[in-house]
Structure formats: C-alpha cells, structure tokens
Amino acid sequence: SQQGEEDPQALSIQEGENATMNCSYKTSINNLQWYRQNSGRGLVHLILIRSNEREKHSGRLRVTLDTSKKSSSLLITASRAADTASYFCATDTYGSSNTGKLIFGQGTTLQVKP
Amino acid sequence: DAGITQSPRHKVTETGTPVTLRCHQTENHRYMYWYRQDPGHGLRLIHYSYGVKDTDKGEVSDGYSVSRSKTEDFLLTLESATSSQTSVYFCAISVSPPGQGHGEQFFGPGTRLTVL
C-alpha cells in the first residue's frame, strides 16, 4: 500500500513560475523526504523535514509539513528548465524499528517550459 | 552517488531463468535497500539489509531473495524470472549520522530488467 499520495500527478509551467507539489500520507512519521528523479536516472535526495519541524528551506526549495493533516508540500520558486523531472515524497514511518525503510509516493512529473 | 554501483545496468532474460543483480557500495554503510520502480507505482521496497547476513522483507518481496555476505555487496536474486518482474531496480543506502536516526538515502543508477 502506498503511504504517500502526491498531487498533482503532472504539472506543466513556464520558466520563472513557481511549482507546488503536495504529498499526503496515512500514518505517523519520523520524517518526510523529497527526492528528484531525472529521466532514466536514480533518485536524488532534495530535502528532509522531521516530524517536529513545520517548514524547511534549501535554496529555491521550500518544504512544509502539517502533521495534523498528514500532508507536506514542496515549493520550487523561480523554476528553470533544468527543474524538469519527477518529484517523489517518501516517509520514514514511525515505529519502523529504526530500519530507515521509506515508503514512496507515486510522484509528480514536472515540466518547465523555456 | 555515494559510491554506489549496480550491475548489470541492462539485462534481457527469458521467463524461468535465474537472475542476480548486484549492488556495490564503497563507503561501508550498514543499511542497504532494493526497490523496484514501475509506472503508476512509484518505488516499492523489495528487501533491505541492516548488516552482514541480516536481511528482511519489504513490501513486494515475493519471488525475490537477497544475500549480503559482505558489507559492500547486496545481491538481489530472481530465482525464476517472470514477466511481471520486468522493471527498473534501484539499490539504495541509508546515511545515518550517529544519534540522528535515519536520514537521506542515496540511490544507485538502476538496472533495467526485461523478462521476455
């Protein structure tokens, strides 16, 4: 079963615009992570937010976490064509015996048009 | 890429044949994972390892086995490949700073497996 559900499944924007992706999950978490995957490549870690944090920034990325709603959002500001990729949220579920197992959402495919 | 390699990178095989995929890391991390990625399903955990000879099942372990005889190598075996196992397989390691619990995972480049 999928812990993370992402919305939208696909997003197309113009370069310079902001892109927002949302992730919802079902059970309590230790942390939530966002990854990027370029076509044909492995996943690259973007940012991790812990369950006791509400917002985190990294460069043009801003992640929020609302544990009461079991949801997170990833905002990419001033998007560039190079941001074109698939973005996945992943949760480290609370009580997973500290194994580090992640449960991934199905991803959002972002296209940034030059 | 945190020193993670996967081999082979591409493989085409026939139904019923055994297949072994290899994941190799150079940084002595304890935790390693095998995922498969399919359209519409994201990444799903097959098996993981938390040390030499210590492995456990993930979400979609049926039809797969793993072995870890050395810290640096984590092998995934399909004993008798089926067409439903056509997928892209990713290996990952968990970077766990002491006292901070599990953090990010680093992924290998993937193996594209086609079972005819």
Side-chain angles (χ1 to χ4, degrees):
Chain A
S1 62
Q2 291 291 331
Q3 163 81 318
E5 297 292 335
E6 297 184 59
D7 171 59
Q9 290 189 343
L11 181 60
S12 181
I13 59 174
Q14 293 294 134
E15 205 165 27
E17 294 180 340
N18 296 341
T20 299
M21 291 160 259
N22 303 294
C23 170
S24 60
Y25 57 91
K26 298 175 182 175
T27 61
S28 297
I29 61 172
N30 293 316
N31 65 63
L32 185 144
Q33 304 177 32
W34 286 90
Y35 289 80
R36 183 186 75 226
Q37 183 181 35
N38 291 91
S39 181
R41 307 291 293 274
L43 278 73
V44 174
H45 182 267
L46 294 176
I47 196 165
L48 178 152
I49 186 165
R50 300 194 183 279
S51 60
N52 61 352
E53 298 176 311
R54 291 298 167 257
E55 187 171 312
K56 206 161 184 180
H57 296 256
S58 177
R60 293 184 296 111
L61 305 181
R62 172 177 168 255
V63 169
T64 61
L65 179 64
D66 186 335
T67 53
S68 66
K69 295 181 179 179
K70 292 186 169 58
S71 67
S72 173
S73 67
L74 170 67
L75 169 67
I76 304 174
T77 60
S79 63
R80 305 167 182 168
D83 294 327
T84 294
S86 293
Y87 293 81
F88 295 88
C89 68
T91 52
D92 179 0
T93 303
Y94 181 80
S96 63
S97 303
N98 198 33
T99 60
K101 292 190 297 183
L102 295 179
I103 302 177
F104 284 82
Q106 296 181 14
T108 293
T109 299
L110 172 65
Q111 180 184 29
V112 181
K113 300 176 182 177
Chain B
D1 64 0
I4 305 171
T5 57
Q6 292 184 232
S7 59
R9 294 293 314 279
H10 302 271
K11 186 170 182 67
V12 180
T13 191
E14 293 186 352
T15 298
T17 59
V19 176
T20 295
L21 309 183
R22 178 179 183 241
C23 177
H24 178 79
Q25 59 147 328
T26 59
E27 300 189 6
N28 208 35
H29 292 290
R30 180 181 172 192
Y31 288 84
M32 299 182 75
Y33 310 84
W34 275 108
Y35 295 90
R36 60 178 289 174
Q37 184 176 31
D38 305 286
H41 290 279
L43 275 81
R44 293 179 291 175
L45 182 66
I46 305 172
H47 281 279
Y48 66 99
S49 170
Y50 45 96
V52 173
K53 297 185 180 179
D54 291 324
T55 65
D56 205 348
K57 297 178 179 180
E59 181 186 2
V60 289
S61 59
D62 287 348
Y64 302 94
S65 63
V66 290
S67 65
R68 193 166 178 202
S69 59
K70 298 184 292 184
T71 300
E72 58 266 35
D73 288 325
F74 191 29
L75 304 180
L76 176 70
T77 297
L78 292 66
E79 300 291 348
S80 178
T82 67
S83 59
S84 65
Q85 293 176 311
T86 292
S87 186
V88 181
Y89 291 86
F90 288 99
C91 173
I93 60 169
S94 175
V95 178
S96 304
Q100 296 184 35
H102 284 274
E104 63 198 89
Q105 291 188 8
F106 287 96
F107 283 77
T111 294
R112 184 173 296 276
L113 176 67
T114 302
V115 183
L116 301 176

